[in-house]
Amino acid sequence: MAEKLYYWAENLENYSSDIDEETPFSIEIKKLNFFIGKNNSGKSRFIRNLFSAPKHTIQDFSFPDLTNHFSDLKSAVEKYKGSTIYIGSASSGDSYYTLLKFINGVLDFPLFPRSKYKENYLNNIKKISDSKIDYTNILEVKTNEIKNFVNNYETKIKFESSKFYIPILRGMRPVTDDENKQPYIERAKKDYFPEKKSTTEKPEKPKFGSHNIVTGECLYYELKVHLLGEPEQRDLIKSYEEKLSQYFFDNEHVSLIPKHDQDVVNIKIGSEKQFPISQLGDGLQQAIILTYEAFIKNVDENGNKQVHAFFIEEPELNMHAGMVRQLMNFYLNETNHYYFFTTHSNHLLDMVDESDEVIIQKFVKQPIDADRKEFDFKIYRCDRDHELLSSLGVRPSSLYLANCTIWVEGVTDRMYLSKLMQKYIQVLGSSSDSKDKKNAERYKSFMPNFHYAFIEYAGGNITHWSFLDDYPTKEEALEFLQNSKGLTAKAITKNILLLADGDNEGKAERLLEWRDELKENVYTLPCKEIENTLTASIIYKACLIKFMGIKKASAQITLSSDTQNKLTQKGFARDKDKFDIEKLNASINFISAEGIGKIIDDTIRIDNSVTSPPRLFSDASGTIDDKVSFCEICKVLMTYEDWDLTEPAKSVCEKIFNHITTCNT
């Protein structure tokens, strides 16, 4: 879906965004929205305004921009100048200009606020629908196209029906013995959302309270209501406990118990004895607070899907970096909602590369005048801005926190392997073998940057690394660094699995050395490189898209609408006259010691008899040329299309997951 979503709120004086000059009062949003910046940069006040704004919702700002559609309609109508045009049942000499006025009514209307734009669209489209050009149904066809586009757009996007705010002040343990008191909620109301006293005798329902401010204080009572309620309510808690187990407790069975004669939730993990939640680590308590309401609110009492907006302060509070990542995976995979976070965690930044549903906005506080008494708050979209690290106070030095590492040759290897690993889990999960299903559940719980991490060794640079356990002495250190193998891998990371391309088999001395140092933790691909392990159908579709462009390719092969939309945005297209792409098919065997670029070129080249045959998809070594671009196409195809794992892909995934399992047992 190419259309973007936007959001803003009332009472945001001195705030503006950098979307474009015409729309400074809106921000682009996605499912997970991270707001970062230095302390006192305006992040928290911003999300509180979004939460407390009584009028505006995402719908008000996210109606689609119809400029292109109405421009096409205008061009079509202008071709029929002089024809008889009816508006309703009447026609006149001015009907042509009246009809253009209706069309221009949408084209000339400002896009923001989109609630007014939508209202203007509805008014004008009705008038256009009542019009007709003699001898043609052009208006009906074009108008229906626009209506269908709008209907499909609004059907695809489910907007929030309620808003919830989770402040920093939160916890599952009561802080007062007074019944029916929630001090954290009361404090949040008093500090952030004070309500005016009612001027009528009949008290108004409070706008803010336990129904929309989530602090964990009410969790004991809510669990009690559900577990003592209808079967559907008990089943919902059971489903939630299963997800807690999967994401945060290494698949150990988890039970949450509002124990009688206590005021605190008890928990039972696996075969351990039941104990009060206060004995559980603060990070896991935070995970429960942050996931319970979101999961429970996925459906209403009738089982209908629900979408809400959650505004969360510092989700990383008391959590290990890997657990924060797992929390975000929970939100992405198990809930329907939109989330808005203030955060100082640098461990969430690279989620932008892993999901199209993540966006990062940076807040900057700027003085308006020299006296520095008044300030503006600027919001910048900055997904891959290295200044983000400075904004979060992160220095270049870093720690490797993962329990094991997988060393791969480059960035595309990491991207392909991530997709292959996801597919491998799906294959195991759909198996009839109970052992495979159990492994799938375990593998699904493994968190990047916690249970494992990828390290890219950049091809030939691997020769500079030593994988021995021995460290040079203080006296030997300087001389060691000056040697060809001057870097000790195990000084920065333990539990290494080294994945090597198949073309290393021709470098026996290097392989022998690696195997001597890392023993069974060296895995050599049975083919030239990771691209050779991809299924032929993905390579075939990627080649057509790269050669023809997405429009021509989608006319020849069936692609999902999500694939087409995503690749259209990326603008992939290529045309070459010395190659015939029709010679390519989806049954070619790419599992070979030759690179897939050479295999493809040799297949589609029109004349292979020339002395220096031209190359299109390959570089001089035979590997795929422009690896990153080709990988981008394959990633989209592997996300939205149906495909199968090859046997070499299964083998490398099995090796990786065995390594991760061993290092996390």
Side-chain angles (χ1 to χ4, degrees):
M1 184 185 61
E3 284 288 341
K4 297 178 181 178
L5 301 179
Y6 299 93
Y7 206 11
W8 201 248
E10 309 96 290
N11 305 321
L12 281 172
E13 295 84 0
N14 300 335
Y15 279 86
S16 61
S17 71
D18 71 334
I19 289 182
D20 58 56
E21 293 180 358
E22 295 181 0
T23 59
F25 304 113
S26 63
I27 56 167
E28 183 184 347
I29 66 165
K30 296 190 177 182
K31 189 169 182 178
L32 301 188
N33 303 272
F34 297 120
F35 298 148
I36 68 118
K38 297 178 180 178
N39 288 332
N40 197 32
S41 61
K43 307 183 299 296
S44 294
R45 183 159 68 93
F46 185 80
I47 71 164
R48 288 170 196 151
N49 271 278
L50 292 184
F51 164 68
S52 61
K55 299 178 183 177
H56 292 163
T57 61
I58 297 173
Q59 297 97 305
D60 297 323
F61 290 90
S62 298
F63 191 72
D65 179 359
L66 302 168
T67 304
N68 291 338
H69 298 275
F70 274 87
S71 293
D72 291 343
L73 178 59
K74 183 178 179 180
S75 298
V77 170
E78 286 174 338
K79 293 179 182 177
Y80 291 91
K81 185 177 182 180
S83 301
T84 303
I85 295 179
Y86 296 87
I87 297 180
S89 59
S91 67
S92 72
D94 294 330
S95 293
Y96 172 79
Y97 298 100
T98 303
L99 179 56
L100 286 183
K101 181 181 177 182
F102 297 155
I103 297 172
N104 288 328
V106 179
L107 287 173
D108 298 338
F109 201 85
L111 191 58
F112 284 86
R114 294 208 180 195
S115 55
K116 295 290 184 184
Y117 179 80
K118 179 178 182 179
E119 184 180 322
N120 180 70
Y121 155 76
L122 292 172
N123 290 335
N124 283 284
I125 199 70
K126 186 178 185 306
K127 296 171 184 175
I128 295 168
S129 298
D130 290 340
S131 306
K132 187 177 76 171
I133 300 175
D134 202 17
Y135 309 120
T136 179
N137 65 346
I138 184 68
L139 276 175
E140 182 181 356
V141 171
K142 289 290 184 181
T143 303
N144 286 338
E145 284 178 4
I146 296 173
K147 287 179 178 177
N148 289 336
F149 173 80
V150 171
N151 290 336
N152 290 336
Y153 176 81
E154 295 199 309
T155 299
K156 281 186 176 181
I157 302 174
K158 302 296 183 183
F159 297 109
E160 93 279 17
S161 53
S162 297
K163 302 176 184 179
F164 298 90
Y165 174 68
I166 304 182
I168 282 188
L169 202 58
R170 54 184 184 254
M172 293 178 65
R173 293 170 290 167
V175 293
T176 177
D177 292 331
D178 296 341
E179 289 188 14
N180 301 320
K181 288 287 185 180
Q182 293 105 22
Y184 293 157
I185 293 175
E186 293 300 321
R187 192 72 247 179
K189 286 174 58 179
K190 184 176 181 179
D191 291 339
Y192 307 140
F193 317 112
E195 297 182 36
K196 295 179 181 179
K197 291 185 178 180
S198 175
T199 56
T200 63
E201 292 184 6
K202 186 178 179 180
E204 296 179 3
K205 181 182 177 180
K207 294 179 182 177
F208 306 103
S210 58
H211 61 286
N212 58 5
I213 299 177
V214 180
T215 60
E217 296 170 280
C218 303
L219 221 155
Y220 177 91
Y221 172 75
E222 289 190 26
L223 281 171
K224 195 172 182 179
V225 168
H226 276 79
L227 291 173
L228 297 177
E230 300 297 324
E232 294 81 9
Q233 291 176 293
R234 294 193 291 275
D235 289 342
L236 188 59
I237 297 300
K238 183 180 179 182
S239 297
Y240 173 65
E241 290 170 339
E242 290 172 354
K243 294 304 177 183
L244 271 185
S245 165
Q246 177 184 327
Y247 282 86
F248 302 106
F249 291 92
D250 290 327
N251 288 308
E252 291 275 5
H253 180 74
V254 173
S255 294
L256 299 175
I257 309 109
K259 190 175 179 182
H260 180 60
D261 289 337
Q262 287 192 8
D263 60 357
V264 67
V265 176
N266 276 230
I267 189 168
K268 180 171 173 56
I269 305 169
S271 59
E272 295 181 30
K273 187 178 178 181
Q274 176 179 316
F275 56 87
I277 203 82
S278 54
Q279 295 179 24
L280 193 68
D282 287 334
L284 286 168
Q285 290 183 54
Q286 290 291 325
I288 294 171
I289 294 169
L290 293 172
T291 56
Y292 175 82
E293 204 74 33
F295 188 85
I296 296 298
K297 291 290 191 294
N298 258 336
V299 295
D300 63 14
E301 57 187 13
N302 298 316
N304 299 315
K305 179 180 174 182
Q306 294 291 290
V307 180
H308 305 292
F310 283 79
F311 302 85
I312 303 175
E313 300 267 14
E314 310 291 347
E316 69 270 20
L317 197 65
N318 296 325
M319 283 195 196
H320 182 281
M323 185 178 288
V324 182
R325 291 291 295 266
Q326 199 70 329
L327 171 66
M328 299 305 155
N329 289 332
F330 180 96
Y331 286 148
L332 284 173
N333 300 333
E334 309 298 341
T335 71
N336 314 313
H337 317 301
Y338 294 97
Y339 298 89
F340 302 86
F341 309 99
T342 63
T343 181
H344 292 109
S345 172
N346 61 295
H347 302 289
L348 299 172
L349 300 187
D350 62 351
M351 288 198 73
V352 171
D353 293 319
E354 299 171 14
S355 173
D356 295 328
E357 297 183 283
V358 178
I359 190 171
I360 299 173
Q361 315 268 7
K362 179 172 68 175
F363 283 64
V364 178
K365 184 179 180 181
Q366 299 175 342
I368 296 175
D369 51 41
D371 295 335
R372 303 180 71 86
K373 292 181 180 179
E374 299 291 334
F375 294 88
D376 277 335
F377 299 93
K378 303 291 184 182
I379 308 172
Y380 299 94
R381 165 87 181 260
C382 51
D383 293 344
R384 291 172 177 82
D385 181 357
H386 289 280
E387 291 300 316
L388 285 175
L389 296 176
S390 300
S391 299
L392 294 170
V394 180
R395 296 187 178 184
S397 57
S398 61
L399 295 174
Y400 287 88
L401 301 176
N403 289 336
C404 67
T405 53
I406 299 115
W407 288 53
V408 297
E409 188 155 320
V411 61
T412 55
D413 296 66
R414 171 171 59 82
M415 291 177 177
Y416 285 127
L417 283 169
S418 295
K419 289 296 180 186
L420 293 175
M421 290 164 67
Q422 290 175 13
K423 187 69 173 182
Y424 185 69
I425 292 173
Q426 291 176 15
V427 170
L428 292 181
S430 60
S431 169
S432 58
D433 190 317
S434 59
K435 184 180 178 182
D436 285 347
K437 287 183 179 293
K438 187 176 180 181
N439 282 337
E441 287 302 310
R442 178 163 182 77
Y443 297 162
K444 201 184 297 182
S445 70
F446 290 144
M447 298 179 286
N449 300 327
F450 179 76
H451 293 104
Y452 68 96
F454 284 107
I455 291 180
E456 300 162 14
Y457 59 77
N461 287 343
I462 192 69
T463 58
H464 304 307
W465 290 93
S466 167
F467 295 97
L468 293 170
D469 287 314
D470 298 330
Y471 295 91
T473 64
K474 184 177 180 181
E475 291 74 19
E476 297 170 333
L478 185 59
E479 182 182 352
F480 180 83
L481 288 173
Q482 293 170 349
N483 291 335
S484 59
K485 283 182 143 323
L487 303 170
T488 302
K490 293 187 178 180
I492 58 169
T493 176
K494 296 287 186 181
N495 301 326
I496 295 169
L497 172 65
L498 176 64
L499 300 183
D501 286 347
D503 54 12
N504 282 290
E505 289 290 357
K507 305 161 187 174
E509 185 178 343
R510 178 193 291 186
L511 264 181
L512 191 64
E513 190 176 279
W514 290 344
R515 288 168 179 162
D516 187 49
E517 295 175 354
L518 292 171
K519 309 301 187 241
E520 70 278 3
N521 281 358
V522 175
Y523 184 85
T524 310
L525 294 174
C527 43
K528 179 176 172 61
E529 55 196 348
I530 196 70
E531 283 89 348
N532 292 87
T533 70
L534 302 182
T535 185
S537 66
I538 292 294
I539 297 175
Y540 170 66
K541 290 178 181 179
C543 288
L544 259 62
I545 291 164
K546 198 165 176 59
F547 190 93
M548 298 179 168
I550 183 63
K551 286 188 177 180
K552 291 182 180 178
S554 60
Q556 184 164 330
I557 52 178
T558 302
L559 296 172
S560 71
S561 58
D562 289 321
T563 298
Q564 293 182 51
N565 287 335
K566 193 66 183 173
L567 292 176
T568 298
Q569 295 170 40
K570 294 178 180 293
F572 288 110
R574 204 167 188 177
D575 294 297
K576 298 294 177 182
D577 57 1
K578 295 183 179 179
F579 297 85
D580 180 8
I581 199 68
E582 298 296 332
K583 297 169 73 175
L584 194 66
N585 60 68
S587 61
I588 296 174
N589 180 19
F590 290 102
I591 302 168
S592 165
E594 291 185 327
I596 67 167
K598 183 178 187 303
I599 296 172
I600 295 165
D601 281 353
D602 288 350
T603 303
I604 68 173
R605 193 180 291 113
I606 294 173
D607 184 3
N608 278 311
S609 63
V610 293
T611 306
S612 300
R615 295 195 303 265
L616 179 60
F617 284 96
S618 64
D619 67 7
S621 71
T623 190
I624 199 77
D625 189 28
D626 192 5
K627 279 194 163 200
V628 174
S629 172
F630 192 82
C631 180
E632 287 288 342
I633 299 175
C634 289
K635 266 178 36 181
V636 174
L637 291 169
M638 293 166 83
T639 301
Y640 300 113
E641 302 297 310
D642 291 327
W643 54 282
D644 298 316
L645 279 173
T646 62
E647 288 304 316
K650 289 179 183 176
S651 297
V652 70
C653 288
E654 184 178 354
K655 182 68 176 179
I656 289 172
F657 280 117
N658 285 342
H659 175 67
I660 298 171
T661 302
T662 300
C663 297
N664 286 277
T665 300

